Amino acid sequence: MNFLAHCVLAGDDPDLIAGAIAGDFVKGVIRDDEWPGRLALGIRLHRRIDAFSNDDPGLRTSAARLGPDLRRIAPPIIDVWADHLLAQRLVSGELAAPGGEPFETYADKLAPVALLRNAAMPARCVEFLRHAERSRLFHDYATPERIERAITHLCLRLGREGEAPRVMDLIRAQRETLATDFAAYWPRLRAEAARFLRAAA
């Protein structure tokens, strides 16, 4: 899963939101005494969701829809596209943001909330959060233009820059099917996040 999904699955606890974002920037063993508040739990939740989603048949099916020649880069691309699908459903009200806030209010607070904990964050995470705040990154996940730029950037990072136009063509051609996949796997991800947090309580 990508950043927005991790934040939504973390609920409305600021520490868990910060940990959900930091999870992409923290490696190695997570020790509670090295992290203030519930940041460590947020990072563990991020890792649990990543492990669960890697094995989820619905997400695997979505990735396979991009074709065998893209199988190595398809999973992170589908993760980014899932953020777009999630953002659109939050905007429309089909899904509710944690705390029941309007999506715009919720999305615009994610980076500032996490930055309040910047003293505990890796430098690369703080840099990302400042960029996200300036650019309203989470808010703009709902817009096709922003998500296309994100996928183009992702293809560049994965060494497949030239594939970005074809990837977007494949996604557009299967937009409805990918949305159907999302409707099936998102409830499973929410249930797993809830289960994990209950077990940690």
Side-chain angles (χ1 to χ4, degrees):
M1 287 289 97
N2 201 46
F3 291 109
L4 180 62
H6 277 295
C7 289
V8 172
L9 293 171
D12 56 3
D13 182 308
D15 279 349
L16 296 185
I17 291 170
I21 297 171
D24 263 350
F25 300 91
V26 176
K27 309 300 179 187
V29 177
I30 303 300
R31 293 169 50 93
D32 286 333
D33 59 359
E34 294 176 346
W35 298 88
R38 301 216 297 168
L39 274 171
L41 178 58
I43 297 169
R44 289 195 188 98
L45 173 61
H46 178 116
R47 292 182 177 184
R48 177 58 202 148
I49 292 302
D50 277 353
F52 185 86
S53 64
N54 287 342
D55 289 333
D56 185 84
L59 278 153
R60 287 187 171 189
T61 295
S62 276
R65 296 191 194 284
L66 300 188
D69 60 322
L70 295 175
R71 65 184 181 277
R72 291 188 177 179
I73 67 169
I77 288 169
I78 291 300
D79 285 349
V80 172
W81 188 250
D83 261 14
H84 177 58
L85 296 173
L86 174 59
Q88 288 189 321
R89 281 151 182 77
L90 292 169
V91 168
S92 71
E94 180 181 338
L95 295 174
E101 296 176 292
F103 173 67
E104 183 167 344
T105 303
Y106 173 76
D108 283 346
K109 82 174 186 181
L110 294 176
V113 160
L115 279 169
L116 290 175
R117 290 142 183 84
N118 66 350
M121 299 281 197
R124 285 180 56 244
C125 182
V126 174
E127 182 181 346
F128 166 76
L129 287 166
R130 287 176 177 154
H131 162 71
E133 184 176 29
R134 287 193 305 269
S135 64
R136 302 184 78 209
L137 177 67
F138 301 119
H139 170 272
D140 285 351
Y141 276 150
T143 66
E145 297 80 11
R146 167 69 81 169
I147 214 67
E148 183 167 350
R149 289 201 302 273
I151 288 175
T152 298
H153 178 69
L154 178 58
C155 287
L156 174 63
R157 283 202 300 115
L158 296 172
R160 303 287 289 272
E161 180 180 10
E163 299 284 3
R166 184 164 71 95
V167 166
M168 287 308 307
D169 285 344
L170 288 166
I171 288 174
R172 291 188 193 101
Q174 302 184 79
R175 183 185 299 271
E176 295 305 318
T177 305
L178 293 172
T180 299
D181 292 344
F182 176 87
Y185 63 69
W186 178 251
R188 292 195 292 270
L189 292 171
R190 293 193 69 169
E192 178 60 18
R195 184 208 63 78
F196 181 88
L197 291 173
R198 282 196 306 271

